[in-house]
Amino acid sequence: MDNKTIAKTIKRYAQLMELHGENPFRTKAVASAAYKLDKLPFAVASQTTEALSDVPGVGKSTAQKIESLLTTGSFPELDKLLDATPKGILDMLSINGLGPKKIQIIWQALGIETIGELYYACNENRLITAKGFGLKTQEEIKRAIEFSVANQGWFLYAKVEKLAAEVLAGLQELLPHGRKIAYTGDFRRKCEILQSVDILVEASRSELAEAVTKMGTLSIQELDDPAQLEAKSETGTGFRFLTADPQSFHRQLLISTGSDGHLRQLDELLAESQLPDFDSEQAIYRSLGLQYIEPELREGTNEIALAGANALPELIRYADLRGTLHNHSTYSDGVNTLEEMAAYCRDELRLEYLGICDHSRTAVYANGLPVERVLEQWAEIDALNARFAPFRIFKGIESDILGDGSLDYPDELLAGFDFVVASVHSNLHMDAEKATDRLIRAIENPYTTILGHPTGRLLLSRAGYPIDYQRVIDACAANGVAIEINANPLRLDLDWRWHRYAVEKGVLLSINPDAHRNSGFHDMQYGVHVARKGGITAADCLNTFTAEQISKYFNQRKRQ
């Protein structure tokens, strides 16, 4: 074991001591010893315990721990602190700019135990109210997490979209005019998470390398394949450039776009013949007796069969959305006031309505609304509706689903809302049966209008709690409850793989941004992407209703 490894282990011990609030003088001494060990001009492992004890700044106690570390790989004091620390908290110690003091507040005061939960808390603006934090610190932590996740090789679609557009524009500018260039692969299919942004280019590898070098934003990775070029951005985002010749560009685009399952089904359809070359993907599919299959659908489910029967759905578009439901204002943990959000939706987004759903009283971490604050908000909504008409603000709430499946307001208050989004935010470690029963009880509550982010997942950081999807969707169908597609790029929950089952059962889906600031409304586009992957049409989506239609829908639900 070299000096650096030993020093790193002792430093981790000092960090854990500080995290758990141990004696600050001892903690500082251990941290100082770790620094000293890293700088020693001789191999620590070659010294006796007595010799190390005599080294200034190390001392007998640290020397004994090093002896144990060298013989067993650890020492009891470290093991004790490691056992008392959740894995997610340990992971946070690797995030640049997050020291033990800040992590202690994040863990003990905010109840956050994973990097994914921390990142989502940054999006929800929860850190700025904690002691020692502010908006600048929150944004720095958010950027540090994004960098850390990127270096693990996976990316959220939403986080690479802007850079992908810049790279595509750069290629169009640097390559000869008229060259064909198109996104392909997982990125073109709008997959939620990616390992690379794939771009098909009518160019040779050498032309590509020259253009990418001139852009100056990507570094080329060594690769011997003459048909492709790989590169990375400064933040670790991977790009893969595939070369194509002009005669077969659209054939190669179709092949490189489709998932393995989609391509297998095409191979079965082709039997022994080759995929033909035409001047568009539409023409290629048509030659096979198929409707054009939108890229988002090319996942190897039943899209080939539907295309062969001329039965593909007309997929929802962003322009079909008429309003936005499930959003948070400064009444709970949002950044913008209710009036600012309404004005933005009306004047900038040209929507017909806003559904406000601040957190309910159980969500104390998010400044959840006690009853008197709910009544205060209702009064403001009435006043704003009088001023903003015909634009409409609907009175909603994101009501926490408690451990037993009940909602956290009395029925007489729940009855006063236009609609209720019921969501789980706590007790996330139930087994599948208990978690499912809990959701079903909430769904059966007569005041539940929409089931919010059904599994609580956070992409790339927290798996959703296990549920029986069929039972949950069947319960929503039986009780006339819509299911949210939470459009926040970290959630995209309900997963698109269950959208069609929900539609088959007659369940409406609602593309909700869960916006905590005005910019968050734009996340609805990511909800549309995954809704399209799920085969959703405008008619299947609750917030494609006009203000008048959705008002009637809410009133009818309340009467029932």
Side-chain angles (χ1 to χ4, degrees):
M1 192 177 290
D2 61 20
N3 287 13
K4 190 165 288 294
T5 302
I6 294 169
K8 189 176 179 181
T9 305
I10 298 299
K11 180 183 177 182
R12 174 53 58 94
Y13 174 52
Q15 289 175 321
L16 291 173
M17 291 173 70
E18 185 175 0
L19 180 66
H20 288 275
E22 294 201 3
N23 184 293
F25 297 104
R26 288 186 59 245
T27 299
K28 188 174 181 180
V30 172
S32 178
Y35 179 81
K36 179 73 175 180
L37 290 164
D38 191 35
K39 306 297 180 184
L40 289 176
F42 52 81
V44 172
S46 67
Q47 303 297 304
T48 64
T49 302
E50 290 75 15
L52 276 178
S53 299
D54 293 335
V55 174
V58 177
K60 183 178 179 181
S61 176
T62 301
Q64 289 172 338
K65 291 177 177 61
I66 292 170
E67 180 184 15
S68 177
L69 183 62
L70 291 171
T71 54
T72 69
S74 188
F75 49 91
E77 295 89 344
L78 175 62
D79 291 339
K80 181 180 178 182
L81 291 177
L82 286 171
D83 290 342
T85 311
K87 181 182 180 302
I89 298 298
L90 293 173
D91 292 339
M92 285 183 204
L93 287 168
S94 65
I95 299 295
N96 187 37
L98 266 187
K101 280 191 174 67
K102 283 189 170 65
I103 294 174
Q104 185 183 55
I105 295 169
I106 288 166
W107 180 22
Q108 303 295 346
L110 299 179
I112 294 168
E113 291 192 359
T114 70
I115 290 176
E117 290 170 350
L118 176 59
Y119 187 70
Y120 197 73
C122 290
N123 279 335
E124 290 191 330
N125 218 42
R126 284 172 49 196
L127 262 64
I128 63 171
T129 58
K131 183 181 178 182
F133 290 82
L135 184 59
K136 183 181 178 182
T137 302
Q138 178 177 270
E139 291 306 306
E140 288 172 351
I141 290 171
K142 186 177 176 183
R143 282 193 294 270
I145 293 172
E146 287 171 352
F147 183 79
S148 176
V149 171
N151 281 303
Q152 295 170 21
W154 286 93
F155 320 94
L156 295 173
Y157 174 92
K159 291 301 174 186
V160 300
E161 187 180 36
K162 183 174 182 288
L163 178 59
E166 291 170 356
V167 169
L168 190 77
L171 288 174
Q172 289 170 332
E173 182 179 337
L174 291 166
L175 289 172
H177 180 70
R179 295 289 182 91
K180 298 184 184 74
I181 305 172
Y183 296 126
T184 190
D186 291 356
F187 186 81
R188 189 176 181 223
R189 296 202 314 279
K190 305 291 197 302
C191 293
E192 313 94 302
I193 56 173
L194 315 159
Q195 285 190 295
S196 66
V197 175
D198 293 355
I199 301 178
L200 185 68
V201 188
E202 182 192 328
S204 67
R205 190 179 186 279
S206 60
E207 285 178 310
L208 268 174
E210 183 179 353
V212 170
T213 302
K214 283 182 179 178
M215 274 192 283
T217 55
L218 303 176
S219 58
I220 294 174
Q221 310 295 297
E222 291 299 323
L223 190 70
D224 293 331
D225 191 340
Q228 68 181 55
L229 183 75
E230 291 190 1
K232 279 193 175 183
S233 71
E234 289 181 357
T235 56
T237 304
F239 280 80
R240 190 165 65 117
F241 302 98
L242 309 176
T243 65
D245 57 72
Q247 289 74 31
S248 64
F249 183 88
H250 295 286
R251 175 176 172 273
Q252 288 177 263
L253 180 61
L254 194 154
I255 291 171
S256 59
T257 296
S259 70
D260 290 343
H262 184 77
L263 296 178
R264 277 196 300 271
Q265 291 183 18
L266 281 178
D267 286 341
E268 291 170 5
L269 189 65
L270 288 163
E272 298 300 317
S273 58
Q274 294 290 315
L275 198 67
D277 279 320
F278 284 99
D279 61 359
S280 71
E281 288 182 309
Q282 286 86 341
I284 296 173
Y285 279 116
R286 192 163 52 244
S287 74
L288 302 177
L290 303 173
Q291 284 178 278
Y292 174 68
I293 302 173
E294 295 286 354
E296 296 95 320
L297 289 177
R298 302 180 200 177
E299 292 290 349
T301 56
N302 65 343
E303 69 270 14
I304 298 288
L306 290 173
N310 201 37
L312 283 173
E314 183 177 341
L315 300 180
I316 190 171
R317 302 165 302 150
Y318 185 82
D320 294 323
L321 303 182
R322 308 297 287 272
T324 173
L325 305 171
H326 186 178
N327 305 288
H328 300 267
S329 72
T330 50
Y331 271 90
S332 63
D333 58 344
V335 172
N336 292 102
T337 66
L338 184 54
E339 181 174 357
E340 288 169 344
M341 297 181 89
Y344 189 83
C345 287
R346 182 190 66 174
D347 302 335
E348 300 296 327
L349 303 181
R350 302 296 181 185
L351 296 174
E352 296 181 23
Y353 53 88
L354 162 69
I356 198 67
C357 280
D358 280 305
H359 285 284
S360 58
R361 61 185 178 184
T362 298
V364 291
Y365 60 86
N367 196 28
L369 275 59
V371 173
E372 59 270 19
R373 288 278 283 159
V374 171
L375 300 178
E376 180 184 334
Q377 186 180 71
W378 286 358
E380 183 178 353
I381 290 172
D382 290 339
L384 287 172
N385 277 336
R387 286 172 47 205
F388 279 51
F391 184 86
R392 180 78 182 272
I393 304 171
F394 288 102
K395 300 170 183 173
I397 194 76
E398 185 177 21
S399 183
D400 267 31
I401 299 174
L402 305 181
D404 62 357
S406 60
L407 303 186
D408 68 340
Y409 284 129
D411 286 354
E412 56 268 24
L413 188 68
L414 290 172
F417 291 102
D418 292 315
F419 71 109
V420 173
V421 174
S423 305
V424 169
H425 292 108
S426 58
N427 297 335
L428 305 180
H429 304 295
M430 294 181 176
D431 61 35
E433 184 175 1
K434 286 184 178 178
T436 299
D437 289 344
R438 176 194 198 181
L439 287 184
I440 289 175
R441 184 175 177 196
I443 291 163
E444 291 173 344
N445 188 304
Y447 298 104
T448 298
T449 318
I450 302 170
L451 176 63
H453 45 71
T455 73
R457 76 180 186 182
L458 296 175
L459 292 168
L460 295 182
S461 50
R462 184 178 77 196
Y465 38 84
I467 62 170
D468 184 326
Y469 282 92
Q470 288 194 0
R471 282 185 63 205
V472 168
I473 292 170
D474 290 348
C476 287
N479 291 276
V481 171
I483 300 178
E484 174 177 85
I485 301 173
N486 189 293
N488 185 298
L490 282 161
R491 289 193 184 274
L492 300 177
D493 183 20
L494 179 72
D495 189 285
W496 62 265
R497 295 159 186 83
W498 286 96
H499 292 181
R500 293 187 198 187
Y501 182 77
V503 169
E504 288 168 7
K505 292 294 181 177
V507 175
L508 283 170
L509 298 168
S510 183
I511 297 174
N512 298 340
D514 199 355
H516 285 70
R517 63 194 75 199
N518 284 343
S519 60
F521 291 120
H522 296 279
D523 285 348
M524 286 194 291
Q525 66 180 305
Y526 305 115
V528 171
H529 291 339
V530 295
R532 288 171 63 87
K533 290 186 74 62
I536 298 304
T537 70
D540 302 324
C541 180
L542 180 61
N543 55 310
T544 62
F545 289 19
T546 65
E548 182 179 356
Q549 288 171 332
I550 204 165
S551 180
K552 287 180 180 177
Y553 175 85
F554 289 154
N555 288 333
Q556 184 181 18
R557 284 278 305 149
K558 290 174 73 171
R559 283 197 300 272
Q560 289 175 344

